[in-house]
Amino acid sequence: MQAVLIVLPIFLIIALGWFLRQRKFFTPQTLKENNALLYAFAMPAILLRGILGAQTRIPNPWSFALAACTPYLVTVLSVWLLARRGEPPKRFATLSLTSIRGNHFFAGLPILGLALGEPGVAAGSMLLAFSLAFMQFLSIGSGQLALFGELSFDSLKKTGRQLLRNPLFMTCILALFLVLLDLSRLPQWLDMSLKMVADIGTGLALLMLGAKIELRNAGRTLVSTWKLLLFKMVVHPIVTYTVLTFFGLPPIFIQAGTLLAAMPEAVNTTIIAQEMGMDSDFCALGTTASVLLSMVSLPLWLHLLGAVQ
């Protein structure tokens, strides 16, 4: 019951975002501006404070990076081995793309904060810092390989350029650089300023997530996207838990990493699928279906992981 109560505020705010969008409270321009605020300022502030505030330092960065990245690779390989048969190229490419692209920032970090407190946010931020670039290249590359049968250097170069313009990725690089230089203690005035900006993020991110959800034919959506849901919401968290445990990471990292893996599909994945010529309609349905399923799966994962303050 405690696990349900932890995620209940999350879904109430998501529902409020959906309701406000239906009532035309959010205009398309408002959504665009709020998302830009979150993407460029609030979420980078959460990441920076999380990484710099991590109490558990990484004794072996290379081993930690391998532990953080391996679950993505194993999940994608499982999609190729188990889900390829009978799927049209565009849909299979979408399955490969979406299997590891979770809503780590707009949903994941707020949920880690509620369930595990600041140590959970710090552990999740550290895992993202060491794996974000690998996840981006792997998801784009595997989707492209599934769609065209080959990797395009131009596409991978474009992904690299996008990463260098991504404030979340650049924040991770900055934070890791400061940690390696042992400059992780920020002046109190700067840390408080970042905290005030970060505090904007939690509620607003969930409102924006809810505003983007389409609930028409929800039951049919869950059925039609079952394979996407299986790999994103079940296989990937199980793989992540197994790999992080195998590498012997501290429990807080195992809990945070598994919960991040259990997050619904990232909203921006549909845009990527559309740009790459994949089945973007199927991808969009997967976003809604994964949010609906997470209302059941996240409390279950919280209970199984003992991730309750």
Side-chain angles (χ1 to χ4, degrees):
M1 185 62 182
Q2 185 65 23
V4 175
L5 293 178
I6 285 177
V7 298
L8 182 59
I10 297 287
F11 291 107
L12 286 178
I13 298 174
I14 291 175
L16 177 60
W18 176 85
F19 175 78
L20 293 175
R21 179 65 188 275
Q22 304 310 305
R23 294 293 179 178
K24 311 298 182 184
F25 189 87
F26 293 135
T27 66
Q29 183 64 23
T30 303
L31 292 174
K32 181 179 179 181
E33 292 170 349
N34 284 339
N35 280 320
L37 173 64
L38 289 166
Y39 185 65
F41 296 102
M43 290 303 162
I46 292 175
L47 267 178
L48 184 61
R49 292 191 76 246
I51 295 170
L52 297 183
Q55 296 180 359
T56 303
R57 292 304 173 193
I58 308 302
N60 188 335
W62 293 108
S63 176
F64 185 81
L66 184 61
C69 293
T70 298
Y72 296 117
L73 180 60
V74 174
T75 300
V76 168
L77 289 175
S78 70
V79 172
W80 278 76
L81 289 173
L82 303 174
R84 190 175 186 182
R85 185 174 181 179
E87 292 291 344
K90 287 187 176 182
R91 179 163 294 199
F92 175 63
T94 305
L95 286 171
S96 184
L97 175 76
T98 58
S99 62
I100 57 175
R101 297 185 69 89
N103 202 323
H104 299 138
F105 299 102
F106 282 24
L109 293 180
I111 287 177
L112 290 184
L114 285 175
L116 299 170
E118 290 191 7
V121 175
S125 298
M126 193 71 77
L127 287 166
L128 290 172
F130 276 84
S131 65
L132 187 59
F134 179 78
M135 184 274 290
Q136 292 282 359
F137 278 106
L138 179 63
S139 62
I140 297 293
S142 65
Q144 187 176 64
L145 186 62
L147 189 61
F148 300 116
E150 61 181 4
L151 292 177
S152 165
F153 175 75
D154 287 340
S155 177
L156 295 179
K157 185 170 67 174
K158 179 181 177 182
T159 302
R161 286 199 301 265
Q162 289 174 340
L163 274 175
L164 293 177
R165 294 196 300 266
N166 185 326
L168 299 171
F169 175 70
M170 296 309 297
T171 299
C172 290
I173 297 299
L174 172 62
L176 290 178
F177 180 73
L178 293 175
V179 168
L180 291 175
L181 292 180
D182 200 23
L183 299 174
S184 58
R185 287 187 62 85
L186 295 174
Q188 186 174 8
W189 60 268
L190 179 57
D191 184 60
M192 287 303 298
S193 299
L194 287 173
K195 183 179 186 303
M196 292 174 71
V197 176
D199 287 343
I200 298 171
T202 301
L204 186 58
L206 296 172
L207 285 174
M208 294 302 99
L209 177 60
K212 294 179 179 179
I213 293 175
E214 297 289 344
L215 291 181
R216 288 172 293 183
N217 301 317
R220 186 179 301 175
T221 297
L222 287 167
V223 173
S224 64
T225 59
W226 70 269
K227 194 176 288 189
L228 183 154
L229 297 174
L230 175 64
F231 284 95
K232 176 66 200 72
M233 307 295 289
V234 179
V235 173
H236 187 44
I238 291 175
V239 166
T240 301
Y241 176 84
T242 303
V243 170
L244 297 185
T245 301
F246 174 80
F247 274 88
L249 295 190
I252 189 68
F253 284 99
I254 297 173
Q255 292 173 325
T258 304
L259 287 174
L260 286 175
M263 289 301 121
E265 179 190 323
V267 175
N268 67 350
T269 307
T270 301
I271 299 173
I272 296 172
Q274 186 173 9
E275 289 180 350
M276 294 183 64
M278 300 178 187
D279 192 338
S280 58
D281 291 338
F282 177 67
C283 191
L285 290 175
T287 300
T288 297
S290 61
V291 171
L292 294 175
L293 181 61
S294 68
M295 297 174 69
V296 176
S297 62
L298 282 176
L300 179 60
W301 276 113
L302 286 167
H303 175 72
L304 291 175
L305 293 167
V308 178
Q309 276 193 317

